[in-house]
Amino acid sequence: MYLIGYDIGSSSIKAALVDGATGKTLGIAQYPETEMDIISTQQGWAEQQPELWWKNAQHATEKLLKECSINAGDIKGIGISYQMHGLVLVDKDHQVLRPSIIWCDSRAVEIGNQSFKEIGEEKCLKHLLNSPGNFTASKLKWVKDNEPALYERIHKIMLPGDYIALKMTGEAKTTISGLSEGMFWDFEENGVAEFLTEHYGIHTDLIPEIVPTFSDQGKLSADAANFLGLTSGIPVGYRAGDQPNNAMSLNVLNPGEIAATGGTSGVVYGVVDKPFIDDKTRVNSFAHVNYTKENPRIGVLLCVNGAGIQYSWMRQMLASDKVSYNDMERMISSVEVNSDGLRIIPFGNGAERVLQNKDTGGHIINIQFNRHSKAHFYRAALEGIAYSFIYGVHIMKSLGLNTNVMRVGNDNLFQSNVFSTTIATILDCEIEMIETTGAVGAAKAAGIAANIYATPEEAFKDVAVIKSYQSVGQAEVYKNGYEIWKSDLEKILK
């Protein structure tokens, strides 16, 4: 029996097929091969068409089935991972009303900041574990204020994964974990955060039915099965945001365990067993995939918006079409640590929570035209992203989170030796690379609902470390580079 998982990212859609009996990954497909477009009609805006996600899921499924040559009738479960914090709006016929306002869109920052003050910071932090900030609820308030006629047509509000599940099953549903990432969940009252929806004037009947993260969340309809090339009746058994899902995929499920990823955005994600609050809201806490009121598992998330997207931009601007990321890594090997004084601040992808929702833009500092080559720019870009991770991890450490060992997947920036050793050396931590992806994790998670695995711990107990990064020496050289970069950032923030 087989399990299929989808990872609905802002760059691409990935699909993975897993053998439920052995846990072995049989194939992974991605569509498109290049990054999907992000619509940005105004500064700080970022939108995508949800219908395109669905169409690309079809292409990814087609590629996967062709690669694996299996009987689609033997697939027994579907799992969905998705980009967090997006807002999808549908009418009563389940038609999308407007492009999705996605995670890196900054338009609702002031709405969230103002409500944080008006409701009261203490109350928000106690009940939401966060400021309403630039999260999904605040984005919905922006729509209500700026597109009132469209707002009146809304039947249900959803996160990106909820929308994909809707297209699969015809049923609008969501989860506690999903609602918590959108600031719709009240941890104190163990229910929808009505104090916030009332403050925003949002009707709670817009929120879909709440189902457990691991459960039979609806069956694949005949129309959806025909569209995807699958068999109708397959249960959708799991959905979760990409960062909780990534952590689960790395077997990060219990207190003291840490995961990280370096995709379009960069994330460090740790698990604790009690409410975790940063009164400056630089890091955020959400219900983890295995959260219950009785046995709380809270995911503490540090996000850097300007991560992989900056390195991708650098490649597009400076490299020819024939130059791969591996080629860039080889070129970097000719450049010394700290890039001969060239420094890059990567915060150019919207408001940064780690900077208290400030949007500083990206900065390239100390260019020397007679010394700096493309290779210097590539190394400075990776170092700048690594430094932004380190900046955030220092905040997490100051709040009491242990980061001695970090687990990462093998499909993102952590494949870069320069990036990973910079982080490991400055933080003096070990980075364990696990052979998995978000789509594989989502597939295995569907096996829990299908009773193939009894618990998440059982599903992910056999994750294997394929590589590890540790401090490479020259720690003072690395740390001096970070301190200069940090000083640059602090000047920009003044």
Side-chain angles (χ1 to χ4, degrees), residues 375-406:
H376 287 89
F377 275 86
Y378 299 155
R379 178 163 196 125
L382 285 179
E383 288 178 335
I385 302 167
Y387 293 158
S388 66
F389 269 69
I390 293 158
Y391 182 82
V393 169
H394 283 163
I395 292 172
M396 297 177 85
K397 283 188 169 184
S398 73
L399 296 170
L401 201 65
N402 187 5
T403 55
N404 291 334
V405 177
M406 188 182 293

Side-chain angles (χ1 to χ4, degrees), residues 175-386:
T175 64
I176 290 175
S177 179
L179 291 176
S180 77
E181 73 177 69
M183 297 303 110
F184 288 109
W185 190 253
D186 188 325
F187 285 88
E188 282 288 304
E189 300 299 329
N190 197 37
V192 172
E194 294 185 0
F195 74 92
L196 181 62
T197 57
E198 288 176 4
H199 181 78
Y200 280 165
I202 294 169
H203 302 299
T204 56
D205 59 4
L206 297 181
I207 296 174
E209 176 189 350
I210 303 170
V211 295
T213 298
F214 307 96
S215 64
D216 187 339
Q217 301 171 0
K219 303 290 196 297
L220 191 67
S221 70
D223 286 346
N226 183 61
F227 181 80
L228 293 172
L230 300 176
T231 303
S232 63
I234 303 172
V236 174
Y238 165 83
R239 74 186 77 184
D242 50 8
Q243 299 311 324
N245 177 77
N246 178 66
M248 176 195 66
S249 304
L250 300 168
N251 198 25
V252 171
L253 292 160
N254 295 302
E257 297 170 342
I258 303 286
T261 187
T264 303
S265 63
V267 168
V268 179
Y269 186 100
V271 179
V272 296
D273 59 0
K274 58 185 177 182
F276 188 97
I277 296 169
D278 173 18
D279 58 10
K280 295 182 180 179
T281 68
R282 297 161 298 179
V283 299
N284 302 106
S285 298
F286 309 110
H288 196 27
V289 295
N290 54 346
Y291 171 87
T292 63
K293 179 69 173 178
E294 299 72 28
N295 190 32
R297 291 292 181 265
I298 305 293
V300 182
L301 187 151
L302 155 74
C303 182
V304 177
N305 283 347
I309 192 171
Q310 182 230 194
Y311 200 46
S312 171
W313 179 89
M314 190 70 67
R315 180 187 176 202
Q316 291 173 20
M317 294 299 106
L318 296 183
S320 69
D321 292 340
K322 295 181 180 179
V323 174
S324 68
Y325 288 118
N326 286 336
D327 294 331
M328 292 164 68
E329 185 81 7
R330 285 192 291 272
M331 292 172 67
I332 287 170
S333 65
S334 67
V335 177
E336 294 292 328
V337 175
N338 298 328
S339 306
D340 196 11
L342 181 65
R343 301 183 296 281
I344 295 179
I345 306 290
F347 302 120
N349 195 30
E352 293 283 0
R353 273 174 267 160
V354 72
L355 304 180
Q356 295 181 266
N357 277 329
K358 293 179 180 177
D359 187 350
T360 65
H363 296 257
I364 300 174
I365 300 169
N366 196 36
I367 302 173
Q368 299 296 323
F369 300 123
N370 58 349
R371 295 209 311 270
H372 292 147
S373 65
K374 290 181 180 179
H376 287 89
F377 275 86
Y378 299 155
R379 178 163 196 125
L382 285 179
E383 288 178 335
I385 302 167

Side-chain angles (χ1 to χ4, degrees), residues 22-96:
T22 65
K24 182 180 178 181
T25 302
L26 303 180
I28 301 172
Q30 172 181 315
Y31 195 89
E33 294 299 327
T34 56
E35 288 91 349
M36 289 187 291
D37 289 337
I38 293 177
I39 305 164
S40 183
T41 57
Q42 295 190 39
Q43 183 176 348
W45 288 24
E47 300 179 341
Q48 287 184 321
Q49 297 287 358
E51 299 95 337
L52 184 60
W53 303 334
W54 180 233
K55 184 65 177 176
N56 288 345
Q58 177 197 43
H59 291 309
T61 307
E62 182 181 22
K63 288 178 64 177
L64 181 67
L65 294 179
K66 184 177 181 180
E67 174 188 332
C68 296
S69 299
I70 63 146
N71 181 354
D74 291 332
I75 296 175
K76 301 303 180 185
I78 297 172
I80 301 169
S81 168
Y82 58 88
Q83 51 173 298
M84 298 172 71
H85 313 310
L87 174 66
V88 181
L89 307 173
V90 299
D91 64 16
K92 59 182 178 59
D93 297 318
H94 295 169
Q95 297 301 304
V96 174

Side-chain angles (χ1 to χ4, degrees), residues 135-191:
F135 294 107
T136 313
S138 299
K139 292 170 182 174
L140 180 59
K141 171 63 171 170
W142 183 93
V143 172
K144 184 176 187 294
D145 290 347
N146 293 275
E147 300 172 348
L150 184 146
Y151 177 85
E152 292 302 321
R153 296 170 56 200
I154 299 172
H155 175 62
K156 293 297 178 185
I157 60 174
M158 287 175 291
L159 297 158
D162 298 331
Y163 170 75
I164 295 300
L166 171 72
K167 295 296 290 184
M168 289 181 173
T169 67
E171 301 178 39
K173 296 180 179 179
T174 193
T175 64
I176 290 175
S177 179
L179 291 176
S180 77
E181 73 177 69
M183 297 303 110
F184 288 109
W185 190 253
D186 188 325
F187 285 88
E188 282 288 304
E189 300 299 329
N190 197 37

